[in-house]
Amino acid sequence: MGGKPHNSSDLPPFTLSGFPGLETSQHWMFLLFGILYIVSIVGNALILFIIKEVQSLHKPMYYFLSLLSVNDLGVSFSTLPTVLATFCLREIGFDSYMAQMFFIHLFSFMESGVLLVMSFDRYVAICNPLRYATVLTDTCVVRLGIAVVIRGFCMVFPLPFLLKRLSFCKANVLSHPYCLHPDLIRLPCGDITINNIFGQFIVISNFGLDSALILLSYMLILRSVLAIASREERLKTLNTCVSHMCAVLMFFVPMVGVSMAARYGRHAPQYVHTLMSLIYLFVPPMLNPVIYSIKTKEIRQRLCKILLGTRF
């Protein structure tokens, strides 16, 4: 592109950067990411299968876990084409970029929403246990799930249209092996004020609000737990939240790390930014099913029965 403006309709392909500094280890990187994708996809698929098959898991908490697994599968399948393609073909057209960017951000916003409704589930279960069955009915669970999807879609839907109106004149080399809005927004040669304002708005109104509400729910949960007289009962109650707390930390901590690196680590080597963004997108889908399998007795027993033919 090198200085000549292009509209989105006549843009040359974008070049995905791959994994700078690791060019000599391409085969090992391909193998590593292939294994990570297999673990993520198979793990989340098994969670969905087990929840469907085990009648005792047909509860709101596990319906939300199913939604989380579906969302993690969406993240994996959204990034899979370009991450593995960087090992052989590194170019991607503008429309393909828009499609992948839309789905990656959609599933990221949805994951934040799913974690929020899961925290609401834990709040009701611990702070108002007698009302749990009447508050979190099947209808309520369906409505919450639909609300998460609609909110995520409404947040992401304007992004492609805001980008399509811009002219691009800078080098078309992207800094990640997949398509992100902050990556592309560096390339236009026109005024991007609206894009920046809208981007900050959806981040604050989605991730900022969700994280604040999750924190509030756990403050209320902690207050209720501390009111329990028995130490054993307190630990037992908190143990029901461990899996969700791990999922929240695995999602929000890497996201904050990526944001801090982008803002304050501009002089850091490029592979640092690439590695942190990969952790943000790879770690939650891969570890969520592992954590819930370890911490949930019914899922652990059924998984061992499927994989090993034994129970413990």
Side-chain angles (χ1 to χ4, degrees):
M1 287 158 28
K4 181 182 177 182
H6 293 269
N7 293 322
S8 60
S9 58
D10 63 348
L11 277 173
F14 292 100
T15 301
L16 300 167
S17 64
F19 308 96
L22 299 173
E23 289 79 7
T24 59
S25 306
Q26 293 290 305
H27 296 296
W28 292 108
M29 293 295 294
F30 182 86
L31 179 62
L32 173 62
F33 284 106
I35 292 172
L36 292 178
Y37 273 118
I38 291 171
V39 171
S40 176
I41 293 170
V42 173
N44 285 290
L46 282 173
I47 291 288
L48 290 172
F49 174 76
I50 291 171
I51 292 175
K52 177 180 178 295
E53 292 296 315
V54 179
Q55 192 69 28
S56 63
L57 298 180
H58 292 182
K59 300 174 183 177
M61 175 182 175
Y62 299 105
Y63 293 149
F64 293 136
L65 176 57
S66 297
L67 187 56
L68 183 65
S69 293
V70 169
N71 192 84
D72 286 341
L73 285 172
V75 173
S76 296
F77 284 120
S78 296
T79 57
L80 177 63
T82 54
V83 170
L84 295 185
T86 54
F87 296 99
C88 53
L89 180 66
R90 294 193 174 186
E91 292 188 342
I92 183 172
F94 185 80
D95 290 335
S96 298
Y97 188 104
M98 289 293 103
Q100 189 186 52
M101 181 199 73
F102 177 86
F103 284 109
I104 288 178
H105 288 300
L106 171 65
F107 288 121
S108 293
F109 286 132
M110 283 178 56
E111 180 139 357
S112 177
V114 173
L115 292 173
L116 175 60
V117 296
M118 291 176 81
S119 71
F120 175 68
D121 169 84
R122 291 298 82 208
Y123 164 75
V124 177
I126 294 173
C127 299
N128 295 282
L130 298 179
R131 298 185 59 196
Y132 184 81
T134 56
V135 172
L136 284 168
T137 61
D138 289 347
T139 302
C140 179
V141 171
V142 171
R143 288 176 178 174
L144 287 172
I146 293 174
V148 167
V149 175
I150 292 176
R151 188 191 69 160
F153 179 84
C154 292
M155 291 285 185
V156 181
F157 184 71
L159 289 180
F161 298 99
L162 290 173
L163 287 169
K164 277 180 172 289
R165 69 185 180 85
L166 300 173
S167 297
F168 294 80
C169 59
K170 299 178 183 179
N172 60 338
V173 178
L174 302 170
S175 57
H176 298 289
Y178 42 79
C179 310
L180 296 174
H181 179 262
D183 204 8
L184 184 61
I185 203 62
R186 301 180 296 104
L187 305 182
C189 51
D191 185 10
I192 58 172
T193 302
I194 295 177
N195 298 70
N196 284 331
I197 292 174
F198 182 75
Q200 292 175 0
F201 166 75
I202 61 176
V203 167
I204 294 172
S205 61
N206 193 89
F207 298 130
L209 180 62
D210 288 357
S211 59
L213 291 175
I214 291 171
L215 179 62
L216 175 62
S217 69
Y218 271 103
M219 290 173 63
L220 296 173
I221 287 171
L222 185 60
R223 186 181 67 176
S224 295
V225 169
L226 292 177
I228 299 174
S230 169
R231 180 176 181 273
E232 182 178 344
E233 286 298 316
R234 287 200 298 268
L235 294 176
K236 183 179 178 180
T237 303
L238 283 176
N239 191 52
T240 64
C241 300
V242 170
S243 298
H244 178 255
M245 286 189 289
C246 290
V248 169
L249 291 174
M250 286 189 302
F251 178 75
F252 284 103
V253 171
M255 183 181 66
V256 171
V258 170
S259 300
M260 296 293 286
R263 182 173 295 273
Y264 301 110
R266 295 177 181 176
H267 300 295
Q270 180 55 45
Y271 67 83
V272 173
H273 298 275
T274 303
L275 179 62
M276 294 191 69
S277 62
L278 286 170
I279 291 173
Y280 168 57
L281 287 177
F282 271 87
V283 169
M286 183 182 65
L287 290 186
N288 281 339
V290 175
I291 290 172
Y292 276 94
S293 297
I294 293 172
K295 295 299 297 181
T296 308
K297 182 180 178 181
E298 294 91 339
I299 294 178
R300 184 174 67 247
Q301 288 179 341
R302 189 57 180 253
L303 186 61
C304 291
K305 186 176 181 181
I306 292 172
L307 298 179
L308 305 174
T310 60
R311 297 182 65 179
F312 65 87

